Amino acid sequence: MKSEKSPITNHQPPITDHQSPATNHQFLQVVFVGHVDHGKSTLLGRIYADTDSLPVGQLDKVRAICEQQGKTFEYAFLFDAFLEEQEQGITIDTARTFFNWGNRHYIIIDAPGHKEFLKNMISGAARAEAAVLIIDAAEGVAEQSKRHGYMLSLLGIRQIAVVVNKMDLVAYDQKVFASIVAEYSAFLKELNVIPCQFIPASARNGDNVVTGSDAMPWYDGPTVLESLGRFEKLPGGEELPLRFPVQDVYKFDARRIIAGRVAAGMLKVGDSLVFSPSNKTAVVKTIEAFNVPHLPLSAGVGKSTGFTLDEQIFVERGEVASLKESLPEVTDLFRANVFWMGKNPMVGNRPYLLRLATKEVEMELAEIHRIIDAGSLDPVMAKEQIEKNDVAEVTIRTKKPLALDCFCDCDITGRFVVVDGYDVCGGGIVTQVLDNDQETFRREARQRDIAWRRGEVQLGERVQRNGHNPGIILFTGESGTGKARLARHLERRLFDGGRQVYLLDGKNLLLGLGSDVTEQDKEEMVRRFGEVAQILLRAGQIVVSTTNTFAQADHQIISTLVYPHQVISVHMSFAGGVTPEKTDLRFLESDDLKKAAKQIVEKMEEVGVLL
């Protein structure tokens, strides 16, 4: 159930002697979190009621509902408005409400505190710039309070005000407040988080919520409302390098409009863009807009827009446009902090779906470095899987390269969620991009692609004329298994069908281009083969490769060098032979050539090489 509440707006600042020191008119998103029954929804309801920020009749409506149900009026019901939530007495889903105060427009995210609804708390907090965390004075620092603090730290939220609520239940005792401050401050220090303020309050009675409290003369700090005004607006995304995750590509008349949202930086006409991870380049020709006398020349951060390019390059959803001088990372291996919320544990050697910005890619858990008990922050040793509500430092490997940033550099392209089946079961942030055995070749290919000097004929034109996309079919297997016979049969079948196809044998390179390469420098031979293959692919060819020169492991290098062109791996073996990982098709040396070639053609159609 999604609980998107109606906007709550007061047209005049209600309390002139509590004006916020903020002088800008920007939006500020603040998440309110706290353990179940610590009074978070009551605190929010009190803020809106005491600042006269509720719509006309809202208070009376809630009172009437309480009377119908035979309940005492609760300020929490102003937010927990659904009957189901009122009956359970807890906030189930994330609610977003709005109000203006002191020249600032606040978006208040009311995140659920119950352990079973941590997933909604994470999704709500992920959008916040600051947080208010509520702790029950009578109960003290609960495990869930620590868990919430860790989650806020995990999501990179550093502006945190802690409200010690229900002080009326401990007779407004300063020692109780001081004890909680000392305990929770020490806990947050372990997370490198220093709270902006600790505030003793009673939401039920209104103490230190909007106005000060005579019951706690020993406290002379800000109220909860004043602490909101002390939160600083974080540096805008316009100060960051350009990041434009592609949402979709639309065709209007002869134009291809690339649509999405400017996640960071500024997009301008004339910008020379690089689309990662494909490394395709083009210049922004126009920025589109509806019903305007003149098209805009730029689009700032947060702007949903579309633009055209000076060349009709093929760009896919999920790619990230940036400027050449400030590229995102491109990798298939990175370290991350992950919070797991799935019913089933997260385990290695099984596929999950990773969503980062607009990109979706298959991933697996490559390594668990350590698992943290979010209640105590103690490491949990000797665990090979991540259980529900565990926080873990892990290495993630994706099936295909993706463009991303470390979270500390750009939060939009540094934050992701993990999907298991149809459910979002985890979330995390990228902490470090890792090098693997393909990194050298990936960097070489990236530099090559960005600097590549193209001719007048574009790949899309070749695809349209040829009736197929370029692609490469790589054969592996022991000598004598029939690789060459099948490859030649496939080449003839494709050629007779009107396809542009070429048989590239690695041994032929040894006769010329690779004649200076020694047997000990096999990796260089593989690199040269990959570069020749990518030239043929740029020419729109289907490349069929068969050779005993390369091993199965070398095919990953070739795939990296020709990315993003489609690669199909075909393995030939004797009966009982082992099939290498990442093999698309396997045949035995005794299989019928025609049937095998037919299956390869069907695979080429399935992956989009043949249209």
Side-chain angles (χ1 to χ4, degrees):
M1 165 172 48
K2 185 140 183 178
S3 170
E4 182 80 11
K5 306 294 193 287
S6 302
I8 298 177
T9 306
N10 61 306
H11 299 288
Q12 310 241 338
I15 303 177
T16 56
D17 58 339
H18 284 284
Q19 291 301 299
S20 163
T23 58
N24 60 66
H25 295 269
Q26 294 176 308
F27 291 86
L28 186 74
Q29 301 195 72
V30 183
V31 63
F32 278 63
V33 299
H35 183 50
V36 63
D37 293 331
H38 278 203
K40 171 176 53 62
S41 293
T42 301
L43 177 66
L44 282 167
R46 190 88 205 198
I47 289 174
Y48 280 86
D50 287 4
T51 58
D52 195 25
S53 297
L54 296 170
V56 176
Q58 179 82 0
L59 204 57
D60 293 336
K61 178 181 177 181
V62 173
R63 284 199 175 101
I65 292 175
C66 292
E67 290 177 3
Q68 291 173 4
Q69 296 181 350
K71 292 182 177 181
T72 304
F73 171 75
E74 295 284 350
Y75 283 98
F77 291 162
L78 294 173
F79 285 83
D80 301 337
F82 286 125
L83 180 61
E84 178 181 353
E85 294 181 357
Q86 290 180 12
E87 290 173 344
Q88 295 185 33
I90 55 175
T91 303
I92 292 178
D93 209 343
T94 300
R96 296 175 70 242
T97 53
F98 314 85
F99 79 100
N100 297 322
W101 181 73
N103 297 322
R104 178 177 276 176
H105 191 85
Y106 291 96
I107 302 174
I108 302 298
I109 305 166
D110 179 19
H114 195 273
K115 185 176 182 179
E116 293 302 314
F117 307 123
L118 276 174
K119 176 163 59 177
N120 296 329
M121 177 260 170
I122 292 292
S123 65
R127 300 188 298 269
E129 300 169 82
V132 175
L133 195 148
I134 296 93
I135 296 176
D136 187 325
E139 185 173 334
V141 179
E143 175 186 343
Q144 200 75 340
S145 301
K146 293 184 176 181
R147 196 185 304 276
H148 286 155
Y150 195 95
M151 291 307 99
L152 295 176
S153 170
L154 176 72
L155 293 169
I157 299 175
R158 292 295 181 265
Q159 296 189 100
I160 300 176
V162 181
V163 177
V164 181
N165 191 30
K166 301 186 181 182
M167 287 295 296
D168 54 308
L169 298 185
V170 295
Y172 300 102
D173 190 335
Q174 183 179 6
K175 292 182 179 179
V176 173
F177 175 72
S179 175
I180 292 174
V181 170
E183 179 183 356
Y184 204 60
S185 293
F187 174 80
L188 292 179
K189 187 177 180 180
E190 295 292 325
L191 307 176
N192 294 318
V193 174
I194 301 176
C196 306
Q197 188 70 42
F198 279 87
I199 307 166
S202 170
R204 181 181 296 275
N205 296 335
D207 296 294
N208 286 335
V209 178
V210 171
T211 59
S213 171
D214 293 334
M216 291 176 281
W218 43 266
Y219 175 77
D220 60 359
T223 64
V224 176
L225 187 61
E226 288 172 330
S227 71
L228 297 181
R230 295 190 178 190
F231 286 140
E232 296 182 1
K233 179 67 181 176
L234 297 181
E238 64 276 359
E239 301 175 14
L240 298 174
L242 174 65
R243 296 290 183 267
F244 186 97
V246 176
Q247 179 77 28
D248 211 337
V249 180
Y250 301 100
K251 294 191 69 174
F252 285 93
D253 46 67
R255 295 173 296 164
R256 290 174 61 86
I257 298 178
I258 299 172
R261 182 173 177 269
V262 182
M266 177 75 71
L267 178 73
K268 301 186 295 294
V269 171
D271 279 345
S272 182
L273 300 182
V274 176
F275 293 87
S276 300
S278 71
N279 301 328
K280 295 177 181 177
T281 61
V283 175
V284 178
K285 184 178 180 181
T286 64
I287 295 177
E288 300 295 314
F290 292 106
N291 299 322
V292 295
H294 303 288
L295 291 179
L297 298 178
S298 64
V301 63
K303 177 71 173 179
S304 294
T305 187
F307 60 89
T308 65
L309 299 171
D310 65 337
E311 297 183 52
Q312 298 293 335
I313 62 174
F314 181 71
V315 176
E316 293 184 295
R317 171 184 169 88
E319 296 205 58
V320 177
S322 65
L323 302 180
K324 289 183 178 181
E325 57 270 20
S326 54
L327 299 172
E329 300 282 354
V330 172
T331 187
D332 60 1
L333 192 71
F334 60 90
R335 286 190 65 149
N337 292 338
V338 171
F339 179 70
W340 189 247
M341 301 167 286
K343 295 179 181 178
N344 300 317
M346 188 181 191
V347 297
N349 299 318
R350 77 175 296 268
Y352 298 92
L353 187 68
L354 182 142
R355 292 178 182 167
L356 189 150
T358 59
K359 181 71 172 179
E360 293 188 353
V361 62
E362 189 175 302
M363 59 147 283
E364 66 177 11
L365 181 63
E367 185 178 354
I368 300 174
H369 300 288
R370 67 171 179 161
I371 297 176
I372 303 298
D373 184 307
S376 65
L377 287 189
D378 293 330
V380 179
M381 307 303 294
K383 286 186 69 173
E384 297 182 355
Q385 60 187 26
I386 306 173
E387 306 288 349
K388 184 176 182 179
N389 294 327
D390 277 346
V391 178
E393 296 178 7
V394 303
T395 292
I396 288 175
R397 178 180 288 108
T398 56
K399 189 172 183 179
K400 295 181 178 180
L402 74 160
L404 50 75
D405 292 286
C406 288
F407 179 80
C408 59
D409 296 325
C410 184
D411 59 342
I412 297 296
T413 48
R415 179 187 294 138
F416 61 89
V417 297
V418 180
V419 179
D420 186 10
Y422 297 98
D423 298 322
V424 174
C425 292
I429 59 174
V430 178
T431 58
Q432 182 184 4
V433 176
L434 301 175
D435 289 346
N436 58 19
D437 54 1
Q438 298 299 307
E439 193 60 32
T440 299
F441 302 104
R442 182 175 293 117
R443 287 174 180 165
E444 175 188 319
R446 195 175 200 193
Q447 293 171 359
R448 176 202 67 205
D449 290 343
I450 293 173
W452 194 270
R453 301 184 70 174
R454 296 185 295 271
E456 284 297 314
V457 181
Q458 299 176 24
L459 181 59
E461 297 176 86
R462 299 183 192 276
V463 170
Q464 187 173 8
R465 175 172 291 184
N466 295 340
H468 62 79
N469 284 301
I472 182 168
I473 296 87
L474 292 176
F475 285 85
T476 61
E478 297 177 41
S479 179
T481 54
K483 297 191 305 296
R485 289 188 297 114
L486 179 55
R488 282 168 169 74
H489 181 81
L490 177 64
E491 181 193 29
R492 171 54 65 180
R493 176 174 180 145
L494 292 171
F495 183 80
D496 290 346
R499 312 299 188 179
Q500 297 295 319
V501 58
Y502 185 80
L503 181 67
L504 180 64
D505 193 310
K507 288 185 177 180
N508 290 339
L509 270 66
L510 294 173
L511 303 175
L513 186 62
S515 60
D516 62 326
V517 180
T518 64
E519 185 67 27
Q520 289 71 32
D521 198 8
K522 186 179 178 181
E523 190 174 88
E524 173 60 19
M525 189 65 221
V526 177
R527 189 193 71 79
R528 295 189 189 188
F529 180 92
E531 291 295 350
V532 172
Q534 71 90 18
I535 291 175
L536 291 172
L537 293 168
R538 286 178 183 270
Q541 297 281 315
I542 295 173
V543 178
V544 178
S545 168
T546 174
T547 180
N548 292 326
T549 306
F550 307 138
Q552 170 72 20
D554 299 326
H555 284 208
Q556 184 56 52
I557 298 175
I558 297 171
S559 297
T560 299
L561 290 171
V562 303
Y563 185 83
H565 296 296
Q566 186 67 54
V567 177
I568 299 173
S569 180
V570 179
H571 186 70
M572 299 289 295
S573 66
F574 298 106
V578 178
T579 303
E581 293 184 9
K582 299 183 179 180
T583 296
D584 296 301
L585 295 170
R586 180 200 176 190
F587 303 104
L588 300 178
E589 52 87 21
S590 58
D591 286 341
D592 181 86
L593 288 180
K594 290 184 179 180
K595 288 184 178 179
K598 183 176 183 293
Q599 284 186 250
I600 297 173
V601 169
E602 290 173 349
K603 185 67 176 180
M604 294 171 71
E605 293 172 345
E606 177 187 330
V607 299
V609 173
L610 300 182
L611 304 177

